[in-house]
Amino acid sequence: MNAAACISAVVDALGLPANARVDIRVPKKMLVEQGAPTSTDKRAIQDGIDELLWFAACKPGTVGVPTFADDVHEYVEIAVIGCAFRAGAKSRRLIELIHRAIPYPVILITADDQGIDVSVAHKRRAQNEAAKVVVDRDATTHLSDPTTPTLNETAFLDSLELSKQSHRDLYALYDGWLARVEAMNAANLVGSFSVTTDEHQIMRRRAAIEDYERLDKENSLLRSQAAKAKQISKRVDLNQRIKAIERAMGQAKQAMGGEQP
């Protein structure tokens, strides 16, 4: 897998105008200073990141979408960032650190030896520190290889195009991209990709994904306990609970589907 080509394929899918492109390298030093709260995180950045690139800046003057501000959010720009990780990098933690380090909402495209992750994270003002922002809601989806995408990945990439998003304001634009990341996560579970602009359906799918992930963790824990259980009665009880959880997981998957593009 060519990491640079895969990241570029996702950036290109956004269909951003030429004047939104920045295409500059971001020094790791800046990320260490801005987003590494511990020495372990500093080391993870230095050892795990190969290259960090700022591809584009989406703001009123470049994409024709107005800013947004309310009591807790202020969206004046959306940054499109790409990052190639080295082998053995703590990818999940690095994704979190990059989102935390950049004050703007970010479309983050990262590459490691497992493929490509596309992540987004809404941000809000910190309650106790006026100048600080914190992650409000985030979502990450995985792609095997955007240069040779599957059918679902092709549909996902097609759905990212700027012209297909809300242009009401930058918050709505970013929220649309987040909904598409969630739709791809749902597709990985239910088998087909579908996107909707209906707020009720988006919220229902979001809740269903959260339920499924919670139940899946509980299911794994119970299966581990059942495998270790020595008493038959204990094992029977655990297996009944597992079956109930699996039924609930099936219901959550059903709640993710049924939407039309």
Side-chain angles (χ1 to χ4, degrees), residues 30-106:
M30 186 213 78
L31 189 58
V32 169
E33 292 173 350
Q34 299 291 330
T38 69
S39 57
T40 301
D41 288 332
K42 288 180 172 65
R43 191 160 52 250
I45 291 170
Q46 292 289 4
D47 295 345
I49 290 179
D50 187 39
E51 189 174 42
L52 188 68
L53 297 169
W54 182 17
F55 283 100
C58 303
K59 46 190 176 180
T62 61
V63 295
V65 179
T67 61
F68 174 83
D70 61 14
D71 291 341
V72 293
H73 304 94
E74 185 177 21
Y75 282 23
V76 298
E77 180 178 325
I78 298 169
V80 180
I81 304 289
C83 186
F85 294 146
R86 293 171 179 161
K90 298 177 180 178
S91 301
R92 184 170 296 183
R93 179 59 175 167
L94 287 171
I95 288 171
E96 182 182 348
L97 291 174
I98 294 169
H99 278 292
R100 285 185 178 184
I102 300 170
Y104 303 124
V106 174

Side-chain angles (χ1 to χ4, degrees), residues 5 7-16 21 161:
I7 292 172
S8 292
V10 180
V11 176
D12 292 344
L14 296 170
L16 301 176
R21 295 298 292 259
E161 189 175 334

Side-chain angles (χ1 to χ4, degrees), residues 16-243:
L16 301 176
N19 65 337
R21 295 298 292 259
V22 178
D23 297 317
I24 61 174
R25 186 173 181 177
V26 180
K28 283 194 288 186
K29 181 181 177 182
M30 186 213 78
L31 189 58
V32 169
E33 292 173 350
Q34 299 291 330
T38 69
S39 57
T40 301
D41 288 332
K42 288 180 172 65
R43 191 160 52 250
I45 291 170
Q46 292 289 4
D47 295 345
I49 290 179
D50 187 39
E51 189 174 42
L52 188 68
L53 297 169
W54 182 17
F55 283 100
C58 303
K59 46 190 176 180
T62 61
V63 295
V65 179
T67 61
F68 174 83
D70 61 14
D71 291 341
V72 293
H73 304 94
E74 185 177 21
Y75 282 23
V76 298
E77 180 178 325
I78 298 169
V80 180
I81 304 289
C83 186
F85 294 146
R86 293 171 179 161
K90 298 177 180 178
S91 301
R92 184 170 296 183
R93 179 59 175 167
L94 287 171
I95 288 171
E96 182 182 348
L97 291 174
I98 294 169
H99 278 292
R100 285 185 178 184
I102 300 170
Y104 303 124
V106 174
I107 298 177
L108 178 61
I109 306 121
T110 56
D112 61 18
D113 52 6
Q114 302 299 312
I116 296 291
D117 285 317
V118 181
S119 62
V120 289
H122 270 302
K123 292 172 183 175
R124 60 172 174 79
R125 295 187 186 94
Q127 292 181 344
N128 301 323
E129 299 179 64
K132 188 177 180 181
V133 296
V134 295
V135 170
D136 195 18
R137 187 175 76 246
D138 63 327
T140 301
T141 199
H142 183 77
L143 309 175
S144 54
D145 185 345
T147 61
T148 55
T150 65
L151 287 176
N152 281 338
E153 289 172 349
T154 297
F156 167 68
L157 292 169
D158 288 346
S159 79
L160 295 178
E161 189 175 334
L162 176 66
S163 64
K164 297 177 181 178
Q165 315 307 318
S166 169
H167 282 47
R168 186 189 71 203
D169 54 53
L170 289 176
Y171 184 94
L173 171 61
Y174 194 70
D175 204 47
W177 276 323
L178 185 143
R180 282 151 176 77
V181 170
E182 291 175 332
M184 187 63 207
N185 286 336
N188 288 332
L189 293 170
V190 303
S192 61
F193 180 87
S194 66
V195 67
T196 179
T197 57
D198 183 275
E199 188 64 25
H200 174 72
Q201 290 184 338
I202 289 172
M203 295 302 291
R204 186 180 72 164
R205 176 160 56 198
R206 182 170 298 153
I209 291 172
E210 290 174 356
D211 284 346
Y212 185 92
E213 290 175 347
R214 174 182 56 80
L215 291 165
D216 189 42
K217 289 179 182 177
E218 190 174 348
N219 189 37
S220 296
L221 178 61
L222 290 176
R223 285 185 172 277
S224 177
Q225 292 175 352
K228 297 174 184 177
K230 295 180 180 180
Q231 294 181 350
I232 294 177
S233 60
K234 179 70 171 176
R235 194 175 300 169
V236 169
D237 177 59
L238 288 167
N239 284 334
Q240 288 176 340
R241 290 168 63 188
I242 289 168
K243 288 179 181 178

